[in-house]
Amino acid sequence: MQGGSPDQGRPANQGRRVAARNRTALVAAAREVFGEQGLNAPLSAVARRAGVGQGSLYRHFADRLALASAVLDENVRQIERAAAEPGASLESVLGVITWHLSRSTAFVDLLRVHGEQARALSERVRTALSGCLPAGHRLSTDDVMLAVAMVSGAIGGSTPAEREHLALRAWRLLGVEVGPSRPFEAAVDE
């Protein structure tokens, strides 16, 4: 090893420079893997999808619950950002909610499970929706939250496209207008 370092063939540890990027990739991968395989999907599948090792996953998230909580929190943050946009409408925010319902089984489960964290996240969704309801709207915030729970109960199917189709059909049956189904970032990026 003349003058070379023993680590010459290994990539340098980039540490904190990539930590935020890895965390973001893990949350996105968890949303996809949990959406495809449910909350009991192997965490190794999440790490693989994110392009990181399992050690990186566990440095960011102590366990499955912490990872699922991060996905749920990101879902709710997107809903809050969509509701905070100038000119945000109930329809556009429901489009973001519908996207999350069709992509995240953990988000659907949030609407059915009770507990301190679930209540806190649900209350954040309620607050976001209440800010989008025009004065005199035929529905109250409680009505919209009930409709979201009803739509989440109607979602079945093995693919996000099938779940989205059923969600949009359920909204139509309830007589509720919904904007395009998409994550909030898709509406504002680029």
Side-chain angles (χ1 to χ4, degrees):
M1 270 209 224
Q2 291 183 334
S5 124
D7 298 323
Q8 221 168 3
R10 291 192 341 223
N13 181 347
Q14 296 179 11
R16 294 179 187 200
R17 289 190 305 179
V18 297
R21 185 176 59 209
N22 286 349
R23 186 182 192 288
T24 299
L26 284 162
V27 170
R31 176 181 289 116
E32 293 172 5
V33 171
F34 290 159
E36 294 164 3
Q37 301 176 34
L39 287 175
N40 291 322
L43 294 182
S44 60
V46 173
R48 229 180 354 269
R49 178 88 47 105
V52 302
Q54 278 191 261
S56 182
L57 185 147
Y58 286 110
R59 274 191 293 282
H60 289 282
F61 304 103
D63 56 23
R64 181 179 309 279
L65 179 60
L67 181 57
S69 295
V71 172
L72 294 173
D73 187 64
E74 176 56 27
N75 292 353
V76 173
R77 268 188 275 150
Q78 282 192 28
I79 293 163
E80 289 170 328
R81 287 192 300 256
E85 278 291 289
S89 66
L90 177 62
E91 293 80 11
S92 66
V93 175
L94 288 176
V96 173
I97 289 173
T98 300
W99 187 87
H100 286 291
L101 288 175
S102 65
R103 283 0 178 244
S104 179
T105 57
F107 189 61
V108 171
D109 290 343
L110 161 71
L111 300 170
R112 297 184 186 132
V113 173
H114 300 288
E116 192 64 34
Q117 183 186 18
R119 275 194 297 277
L121 291 171
S122 184
E123 188 55 37
R124 287 171 54 195
V125 172
R126 173 187 298 282
T127 299
L129 286 169
S130 69
C132 297
L133 275 171
H137 195 279
R138 69 180 181 84
L139 299 174
S140 68
T141 304
D142 287 339
D143 293 338
V144 176
M145 288 297 289
L146 177 59
V148 169
M150 292 167 69
V151 169
S152 76
I155 293 179
S158 58
T159 68
E162 290 171 346
R163 293 189 295 267
E164 183 175 313
H165 173 76
L166 289 171
L168 294 173
R169 191 167 160 210
W171 284 120
R172 278 192 303 277
L173 288 170
L174 292 172
V176 177
E177 294 291 321
V178 176
S181 175
R182 60 185 174 192
F184 180 66
E185 280 74 11
V188 295
D189 283 352
E190 318 227 39

Short mmCIF file of all heavy atoms in Angstrom, two decimals, residues 52-109:
data_model
loop_
_atom_site.label_atom_id
_atom_site.label_comp_id
_atom_site.label_asym_id
_atom_site.label_seq_id
_atom_site.Cartn_x
_atom_site.Cartn_y
_atom_site.Cartn_z
N VAL A 52 -30.46 3.13 1.18
CA VAL A 52 -29.57 3.26 2.33
C VAL A 52 -29.50 1.92 3.05
O VAL A 52 -30.31 1.03 2.82
CB VAL A 52 -30.07 4.35 3.32
CG1 VAL A 52 -30.18 5.70 2.61
CG2 VAL A 52 -31.39 3.97 3.96
N GLY A 53 -28.55 1.79 3.95
CA GLY A 53 -28.44 0.59 4.75
C GLY A 53 -29.40 0.62 5.92
O GLY A 53 -29.92 1.68 6.30
N GLN A 54 -29.62 -0.56 6.51
CA GLN A 54 -30.52 -0.62 7.65
C GLN A 54 -29.99 0.17 8.84
O GLN A 54 -30.76 0.70 9.62
CB GLN A 54 -30.78 -2.08 8.05
CG GLN A 54 -31.85 -2.70 7.17
CD GLN A 54 -32.31 -4.03 7.72
OE1 GLN A 54 -31.87 -5.05 7.24
NE2 GLN A 54 -33.18 -3.99 8.71
N GLY A 55 -28.67 0.26 8.96
CA GLY A 55 -28.10 1.06 10.03
C GLY A 55 -28.54 2.51 9.93
O GLY A 55 -28.85 3.15 10.94
N SER A 56 -28.57 3.02 8.71
CA SER A 56 -29.03 4.40 8.50
C SER A 56 -30.49 4.54 8.90
O SER A 56 -30.89 5.53 9.52
CB SER A 56 -28.83 4.80 7.04
OG SER A 56 -29.22 6.13 6.84
N LEU A 57 -31.30 3.54 8.54
CA LEU A 57 -32.72 3.58 8.91
C LEU A 57 -32.85 3.69 10.43
O LEU A 57 -33.58 4.54 10.94
CB LEU A 57 -33.44 2.33 8.40
CG LEU A 57 -34.95 2.31 8.64
CD1 LEU A 57 -35.63 1.58 7.49
CD2 LEU A 57 -35.32 1.65 9.93
N TYR A 58 -32.12 2.85 11.16
CA TYR A 58 -32.24 2.85 12.62
C TYR A 58 -31.56 4.06 13.27
O TYR A 58 -31.91 4.40 14.40
CB TYR A 58 -31.72 1.54 13.19
CG TYR A 58 -32.70 0.41 12.94
CD1 TYR A 58 -32.41 -0.60 12.03
CD2 TYR A 58 -33.93 0.39 13.58
CE1 TYR A 58 -33.31 -1.61 11.79
CE2 TYR A 58 -34.84 -0.62 13.34
CZ TYR A 58 -34.53 -1.62 12.44
OH TYR A 58 -35.44 -2.61 12.21
N ARG A 59 -30.65 4.73 12.59
CA ARG A 59 -30.10 5.97 13.13
C ARG A 59 -31.17 7.07 13.09
O ARG A 59 -31.19 7.94 13.94
CB ARG A 59 -28.87 6.42 12.34
CG ARG A 59 -27.58 5.80 12.83
CD ARG A 59 -26.36 6.45 12.22
NE ARG A 59 -26.23 6.23 10.77
CZ ARG A 59 -25.80 5.11 10.21
NH1 ARG A 59 -25.44 4.09 10.96
NH2 ARG A 59 -25.71 5.00 8.91
N HIS A 60 -32.05 7.01 12.11
CA HIS A 60 -33.09 8.03 11.99
C HIS A 60 -34.37 7.65 12.74
O HIS A 60 -35.06 8.54 13.26
CB HIS A 60 -33.44 8.26 10.52
CG HIS A 60 -32.36 8.96 9.77
ND1 HIS A 60 -32.15 10.31 9.84
CD2 HIS A 60 -31.41 8.48 8.93
CE1 HIS A 60 -31.13 10.65 9.09
NE2 HIS A 60 -30.65 9.55 8.52
N PHE A 61 -34.68 6.36 12.78
CA PHE A 61 -35.95 5.91 13.36
C PHE A 61 -35.70 4.72 14.27
O PHE A 61 -35.19 3.69 13.82
CB PHE A 61 -36.94 5.53 12.24
CG PHE A 61 -37.16 6.64 11.27
CD1 PHE A 61 -36.55 6.63 10.02
CD2 PHE A 61 -37.94 7.74 11.61
CE1 PHE A 61 -36.72 7.67 9.13
CE2 PHE A 61 -38.11 8.78 10.73
CZ PHE A 61 -37.50 8.75 9.48
N ALA A 62 -36.06 4.85 15.52
CA ALA A 62 -35.79 3.81 16.51
C ALA A 62 -36.52 2.51 16.21
O ALA A 62 -36.01 1.43 16.50
CB ALA A 62 -36.16 4.30 17.91
N ASP A 63 -37.72 2.63 15.62
CA ASP A 63 -38.51 1.43 15.37
C ASP A 63 -39.57 1.72 14.31
O ASP A 63 -39.64 2.82 13.77
CB ASP A 63 -39.16 0.93 16.67
CG ASP A 63 -40.02 1.99 17.37
OD1 ASP A 63 -40.49 2.94 16.71
OD2 ASP A 63 -40.22 1.87 18.59
N ARG A 64 -40.38 0.73 14.02
CA ARG A 64 -41.43 0.83 13.00
C ARG A 64 -42.41 1.96 13.31
O ARG A 64 -42.82 2.71 12.43
CB ARG A 64 -42.17 -0.52 12.93
CG ARG A 64 -43.27 -0.59 11.92
CD ARG A 64 -43.92 -1.96 11.94
NE ARG A 64 -42.93 -3.04 11.83
CZ ARG A 64 -42.40 -3.44 10.68
NH1 ARG A 64 -42.76 -2.89 9.55
NH2 ARG A 64 -41.50 -4.41 10.66
N LEU A 65 -42.79 2.09 14.58
CA LEU A 65 -43.73 3.14 14.98
C LEU A 65 -43.16 4.52 14.70
O LEU A 65 -43.87 5.40 14.21
CB LEU A 65 -44.09 2.99 16.47
CG LEU A 65 -45.05 4.03 17.01
CD1 LEU A 65 -46.39 4.00 16.27
CD2 LEU A 65 -45.26 3.81 18.50
N ALA A 66 -41.88 4.71 14.99
CA ALA A 66 -41.26 6.02 14.73
C ALA A 66 -41.25 6.32 13.23
O ALA A 66 -41.51 7.46 12.82
CB ALA A 66 -39.85 6.04 15.28
N LEU A 67 -40.99 5.32 12.41
CA LEU A 67 -40.99 5.51 10.96
C LEU A 67 -42.40 5.81 10.45
O LEU A 67 -42.60 6.74 9.67
CB LEU A 67 -40.40 4.28 10.27
CG LEU A 67 -40.31 4.33 8.75
CD1 LEU A 67 -39.50 5.53 8.27
CD2 LEU A 67 -39.69 3.02 8.24
N ALA A 68 -43.38 5.03 10.90
CA ALA A 68 -44.77 5.27 10.49
C ALA A 68 -45.22 6.66 10.94
O ALA A 68 -45.91 7.37 10.21
CB ALA A 68 -45.69 4.19 11.05
N SER A 69 -44.81 7.06 12.14
CA SER A 69 -45.16 8.40 12.65
C SER A 69 -44.58 9.49 11.78
O SER A 69 -45.23 10.51 11.53
CB SER A 69 -44.67 8.57 14.09
OG SER A 69 -45.34 7.68 14.94
N ALA A 70 -43.36 9.29 11.28
CA ALA A 70 -42.73 10.28 10.41
C ALA A 70 -43.49 10.39 9.09
O ALA A 70 -43.68 11.50 8.56
CB ALA A 70 -41.27 9.93 10.15
N VAL A 71 -43.94 9.26 8.56
CA VAL A 71 -44.74 9.28 7.33
C VAL A 71 -46.04 10.04 7.58
O VAL A 71 -46.43 10.91 6.79
CB VAL A 71 -45.04 7.85 6.82
CG1 VAL A 71 -46.03 7.87 5.66
CG2 VAL A 71 -43.75 7.15 6.40
N LEU A 72 -46.71 9.73 8.68
CA LEU A 72 -47.98 10.40 9.00
C LEU A 72 -47.78 11.90 9.18
O LEU A 72 -48.57 12.71 8.70
CB LEU A 72 -48.59 9.80 10.26
CG LEU A 72 -49.04 8.36 10.16
CD1 LEU A 72 -49.47 7.84 11.53
CD2 LEU A 72 -50.15 8.21 9.15
N ASP A 73 -46.72 12.26 9.89
CA ASP A 73 -46.45 13.68 10.12
C ASP A 73 -46.21 14.40 8.80
O ASP A 73 -46.70 15.52 8.60
CB ASP A 73 -45.26 13.85 11.06
CG ASP A 73 -45.07 15.30 11.45
OD1 ASP A 73 -45.97 15.86 12.10
OD2 ASP A 73 -44.02 15.88 11.09
N GLU A 74 -45.46 13.78 7.89
CA GLU A 74 -45.23 14.39 6.58
C GLU A 74 -46.53 14.52 5.80
O GLU A 74 -46.78 15.53 5.14
CB GLU A 74 -44.19 13.60 5.79
CG GLU A 74 -43.97 14.11 4.38
CD GLU A 74 -43.56 15.58 4.30
OE1 GLU A 74 -42.95 16.12 5.24
OE2 GLU A 74 -43.85 16.21 3.26
N ASN A 75 -47.39 13.51 5.87
CA ASN A 75 -48.70 13.59 5.21
C ASN A 75 -49.46 14.81 5.72
O ASN A 75 -49.99 15.60 4.93
CB ASN A 75 -49.53 12.33 5.47
CG ASN A 75 -48.98 11.10 4.81
OD1 ASN A 75 -48.04 11.15 4.03
ND2 ASN A 75 -49.57 9.97 5.14
N VAL A 76 -49.52 14.94 7.03
CA VAL A 76 -50.29 16.04 7.63
C VAL A 76 -49.64 17.38 7.30
O VAL A 76 -50.35 18.36 7.02
CB VAL A 76 -50.46 15.82 9.15
CG1 VAL A 76 -51.09 17.04 9.82
CG2 VAL A 76 -51.32 14.58 9.41
N ARG A 77 -48.31 17.44 7.30
CA ARG A 77 -47.64 18.70 6.93
C ARG A 77 -48.00 19.12 5.50
O ARG A 77 -48.21 20.30 5.23
CB ARG A 77 -46.14 18.59 7.08
CG ARG A 77 -45.69 19.04 8.46
CD ARG A 77 -44.20 19.12 8.56
NE ARG A 77 -43.80 17.75 8.88
CZ ARG A 77 -42.66 17.20 8.53
NH1 ARG A 77 -41.78 17.87 7.86
NH2 ARG A 77 -42.38 15.97 8.85
N GLN A 78 -48.07 18.16 4.59
CA GLN A 78 -48.46 18.49 3.21
C GLN A 78 -49.89 19.04 3.18
O GLN A 78 -50.18 20.00 2.46
CB GLN A 78 -48.35 17.27 2.31
CG GLN A 78 -46.95 16.96 1.89
CD GLN A 78 -46.91 15.93 0.78
OE1 GLN A 78 -47.83 15.83 -0.03
NE2 GLN A 78 -45.82 15.19 0.71
N ILE A 79 -50.78 18.45 3.94
CA ILE A 79 -52.16 18.92 4.00
C ILE A 79 -52.21 20.33 4.58
O ILE A 79 -52.89 21.21 4.04
CB ILE A 79 -53.03 17.95 4.83
CG1 ILE A 79 -53.16 16.61 4.09
CG2 ILE A 79 -54.41 18.54 5.14
CD1 ILE A 79 -53.64 15.46 4.94
N GLU A 80 -51.45 20.56 5.64
CA GLU A 80 -51.41 21.90 6.24
C GLU A 80 -50.85 22.93 5.26
O GLU A 80 -51.38 24.05 5.16
CB GLU A 80 -50.55 21.88 7.51
CG GLU A 80 -51.20 21.13 8.65
CD GLU A 80 -50.27 20.91 9.83
OE1 GLU A 80 -49.04 20.75 9.63
OE2 GLU A 80 -50.78 20.85 10.96
N ARG A 81 -49.79 22.57 4.53
CA ARG A 81 -49.21 23.51 3.56
C ARG A 81 -50.20 23.79 2.43
O ARG A 81 -50.30 24.92 1.96
CB ARG A 81 -47.88 22.98 3.03
CG ARG A 81 -46.77 23.07 4.05
CD ARG A 81 -45.40 22.81 3.45
NE ARG A 81 -45.27 21.52 2.84
CZ ARG A 81 -44.63 20.48 3.36
NH1 ARG A 81 -44.05 20.60 4.52
NH2 ARG A 81 -44.56 19.34 2.73
N ALA A 82 -50.89 22.76 1.98
CA ALA A 82 -51.90 22.96 0.92
C ALA A 82 -53.00 23.89 1.40
O ALA A 82 -53.44 24.77 0.66
CB ALA A 82 -52.48 21.62 0.49
N ALA A 83 -53.43 23.72 2.65
CA ALA A 83 -54.49 24.57 3.20
C ALA A 83 -54.02 26.00 3.44
O ALA A 83 -54.83 26.94 3.40
CB ALA A 83 -55.00 23.97 4.51
N ALA A 84 -52.72 26.19 3.67
CA ALA A 84 -52.18 27.52 3.95
C ALA A 84 -51.89 28.33 2.68
O ALA A 84 -51.60 29.52 2.75
CB ALA A 84 -50.91 27.40 4.78
N GLU A 85 -51.93 27.67 1.53
CA GLU A 85 -51.67 28.37 0.27
C GLU A 85 -52.70 29.47 0.03
O GLU A 85 -53.89 29.28 0.32
CB GLU A 85 -51.77 27.39 -0.91
CG GLU A 85 -50.53 26.59 -1.13
CD GLU A 85 -49.39 27.43 -1.65
OE1 GLU A 85 -49.41 27.87 -2.81
OE2 GLU A 85 -48.45 27.64 -0.88
N PRO A 86 -52.27 30.61 -0.51
CA PRO A 86 -53.25 31.64 -0.85
C PRO A 86 -54.28 31.07 -1.85
O PRO A 86 -53.91 30.39 -2.80
CB PRO A 86 -52.40 32.74 -1.52
CG PRO A 86 -51.00 32.47 -1.06
CD PRO A 86 -50.91 30.99 -0.83
N GLY A 87 -55.52 31.31 -1.57
CA GLY A 87 -56.58 30.83 -2.45
C GLY A 87 -56.88 29.35 -2.33
O GLY A 87 -57.57 28.78 -3.17
N ALA A 88 -56.35 28.71 -1.28
CA ALA A 88 -56.61 27.28 -1.09
C ALA A 88 -58.11 27.05 -0.97
O ALA A 88 -58.83 27.82 -0.35
CB ALA A 88 -55.91 26.76 0.15
N SER A 89 -58.56 25.98 -1.58
CA SER A 89 -59.98 25.64 -1.51
C SER A 89 -60.15 24.29 -0.83
O SER A 89 -59.21 23.49 -0.76
CB SER A 89 -60.57 25.58 -2.92
OG SER A 89 -60.00 24.49 -3.64
N LEU A 90 -61.35 24.04 -0.36
CA LEU A 90 -61.65 22.74 0.22
C LEU A 90 -61.37 21.65 -0.80
O LEU A 90 -60.78 20.61 -0.47
CB LEU A 90 -63.12 22.69 0.66
CG LEU A 90 -63.60 21.36 1.23
CD1 LEU A 90 -62.82 20.99 2.49
CD2 LEU A 90 -65.10 21.41 1.51
N GLU A 91 -61.74 21.88 -2.05
CA GLU A 91 -61.53 20.88 -3.10
C GLU A 91 -60.05 20.54 -3.29
O GLU A 91 -59.68 19.37 -3.42
CB GLU A 91 -62.13 21.36 -4.43
CG GLU A 91 -63.63 21.47 -4.44
CD GLU A 91 -64.17 22.74 -3.77
OE1 GLU A 91 -63.38 23.68 -3.48
OE2 GLU A 91 -65.38 22.79 -3.52
N SER A 92 -59.19 21.56 -3.30
CA SER A 92 -57.77 21.30 -3.51
C SER A 92 -57.17 20.56 -2.33
O SER A 92 -56.35 19.65 -2.51
CB SER A 92 -57.00 22.60 -3.80
OG SER A 92 -57.00 23.45 -2.66
N VAL A 93 -57.56 20.91 -1.12
CA VAL A 93 -57.03 20.23 0.06
C VAL A 93 -57.55 18.79 0.11
O VAL A 93 -56.81 17.86 0.44
CB VAL A 93 -57.37 21.01 1.35
CG1 VAL A 93 -56.94 20.24 2.59
CG2 VAL A 93 -56.70 22.39 1.32
N LEU A 94 -58.80 18.57 -0.26
CA LEU A 94 -59.32 17.21 -0.32
C LEU A 94 -58.60 16.38 -1.38
O LEU A 94 -58.44 15.17 -1.22
CB LEU A 94 -60.83 17.21 -0.57
CG LEU A 94 -61.69 17.66 0.62
CD1 LEU A 94 -63.16 17.72 0.22
CD2 LEU A 94 -61.48 16.77 1.83
N GLY A 95 -58.13 17.03 -2.43
CA GLY A 95 -57.32 16.33 -3.43
C GLY A 95 -56.02 15.83 -2.84
O GLY A 95 -55.58 14.70 -3.11
N VAL A 96 -55.39 16.64 -1.99
CA VAL A 96 -54.16 16.22 -1.32
C VAL A 96 -54.46 15.09 -0.33
O VAL A 96 -53.75 14.08 -0.27
CB VAL A 96 -53.48 17.42 -0.60
CG1 VAL A 96 -52.30 16.97 0.24
CG2 VAL A 96 -53.04 18.47 -1.62
N ILE A 97 -55.54 15.23 0.42
CA ILE A 97 -55.94 14.18 1.36
C ILE A 97 -56.21 12.88 0.61
O ILE A 97 -55.78 11.80 1.03
CB ILE A 97 -57.16 14.61 2.20
CG1 ILE A 97 -56.75 15.71 3.19
CG2 ILE A 97 -57.79 13.42 2.91
CD1 ILE A 97 -57.91 16.33 3.95
N THR A 98 -56.90 12.97 -0.51
CA THR A 98 -57.22 11.77 -1.30
C THR A 98 -55.96 11.09 -1.79
O THR A 98 -55.85 9.86 -1.78
CB THR A 98 -58.15 12.14 -2.47
OG1 THR A 98 -59.35 12.69 -1.92
CG2 THR A 98 -58.48 10.94 -3.34
N TRP A 99 -54.97 11.88 -2.23
CA TRP A 99 -53.70 11.29 -2.66
C TRP A 99 -53.08 10.49 -1.52
O TRP A 99 -52.64 9.36 -1.71
CB TRP A 99 -52.74 12.38 -3.15
CG TRP A 99 -51.50 11.81 -3.76
CD1 TRP A 99 -51.32 11.43 -5.05
CD2 TRP A 99 -50.27 11.51 -3.08
NE1 TRP A 99 -50.05 10.92 -5.23
CE2 TRP A 99 -49.38 10.96 -4.04
CE3 TRP A 99 -49.83 11.67 -1.78
CZ2 TRP A 99 -48.09 10.57 -3.73
CZ3 TRP A 99 -48.54 11.27 -1.46
CH2 TRP A 99 -47.68 10.73 -2.45
N HIS A 100 -53.07 11.08 -0.31
CA HIS A 100 -52.48 10.39 0.83
C HIS A 100 -53.28 9.16 1.22
O HIS A 100 -52.71 8.14 1.59
CB HIS A 100 -52.30 11.34 2.01
CG HIS A 100 -51.18 12.29 1.81
ND1 HIS A 100 -49.87 11.91 1.79
CD2 HIS A 100 -51.17 13.63 1.58
CE1 HIS A 100 -49.10 12.95 1.58
NE2 HIS A 100 -49.87 14.01 1.44
N LEU A 101 -54.59 9.24 1.13
CA LEU A 101 -55.42 8.08 1.45
C LEU A 101 -55.12 6.92 0.50
O LEU A 101 -55.10 5.77 0.91
CB LEU A 101 -56.91 8.43 1.36
CG LEU A 101 -57.47 9.33 2.45
CD1 LEU A 101 -58.93 9.69 2.13
CD2 LEU A 101 -57.38 8.66 3.81
N SER A 102 -54.88 7.24 -0.75
CA SER A 102 -54.67 6.17 -1.73
C SER A 102 -53.23 5.66 -1.74
O SER A 102 -52.97 4.59 -2.26
CB SER A 102 -55.06 6.65 -3.13
OG SER A 102 -54.22 7.69 -3.57
N ARG A 103 -52.31 6.38 -1.13
CA ARG A 103 -50.90 5.97 -1.14
C ARG A 103 -50.39 5.49 0.20
O ARG A 103 -49.34 4.88 0.26
CB ARG A 103 -50.02 7.15 -1.53
CG ARG A 103 -49.90 7.59 -2.97
CD ARG A 103 -50.36 7.25 -4.00
NE ARG A 103 -50.36 7.59 -5.36
CZ ARG A 103 -51.43 7.98 -5.99
NH1 ARG A 103 -52.56 8.18 -5.37
NH2 ARG A 103 -51.41 8.15 -7.28
N SER A 104 -51.08 5.78 1.27
CA SER A 104 -50.52 5.51 2.59
C SER A 104 -51.51 4.77 3.47
O SER A 104 -52.43 5.38 4.01
CB SER A 104 -50.10 6.82 3.25
OG SER A 104 -49.59 6.58 4.53
N THR A 105 -51.32 3.47 3.61
CA THR A 105 -52.19 2.72 4.50
C THR A 105 -52.06 3.22 5.93
O THR A 105 -53.00 3.16 6.69
CB THR A 105 -51.86 1.22 4.45
OG1 THR A 105 -50.50 1.03 4.79
CG2 THR A 105 -52.15 0.63 3.09
N ALA A 106 -50.89 3.73 6.29
CA ALA A 106 -50.72 4.27 7.64
C ALA A 106 -51.62 5.48 7.85
O ALA A 106 -52.17 5.67 8.93
CB ALA A 106 -49.26 4.65 7.87
N PHE A 107 -51.80 6.30 6.81
CA PHE A 107 -52.67 7.46 6.93
C PHE A 107 -54.13 7.02 7.10
O PHE A 107 -54.86 7.58 7.90
CB PHE A 107 -52.51 8.36 5.71
CG PHE A 107 -53.21 9.69 5.84
CD1 PHE A 107 -52.87 10.57 6.84
CD2 PHE A 107 -54.21 10.05 4.97
CE1 PHE A 107 -53.51 11.79 6.96
CE2 PHE A 107 -54.86 11.26 5.08
CZ PHE A 107 -54.49 12.14 6.08
N VAL A 108 -54.52 6.01 6.37
CA VAL A 108 -55.87 5.47 6.52
C VAL A 108 -56.05 4.95 7.93
O VAL A 108 -57.06 5.21 8.59
CB VAL A 108 -56.15 4.37 5.47
CG1 VAL A 108 -57.46 3.66 5.77
CG2 VAL A 108 -56.17 4.97 4.07
N ASP A 109 -55.06 4.21 8.43
CA ASP A 109 -55.16 3.67 9.78
C ASP A 109 -55.24 4.77 10.83
O ASP A 109 -55.90 4.61 11.85
CB ASP A 109 -53.96 2.76 10.08
CG ASP A 109 -54.01 1.46 9.29
OD1 ASP A 109 -55.10 1.13 8.76
OD2 ASP A 109 -52.98 0.80 9.19
#
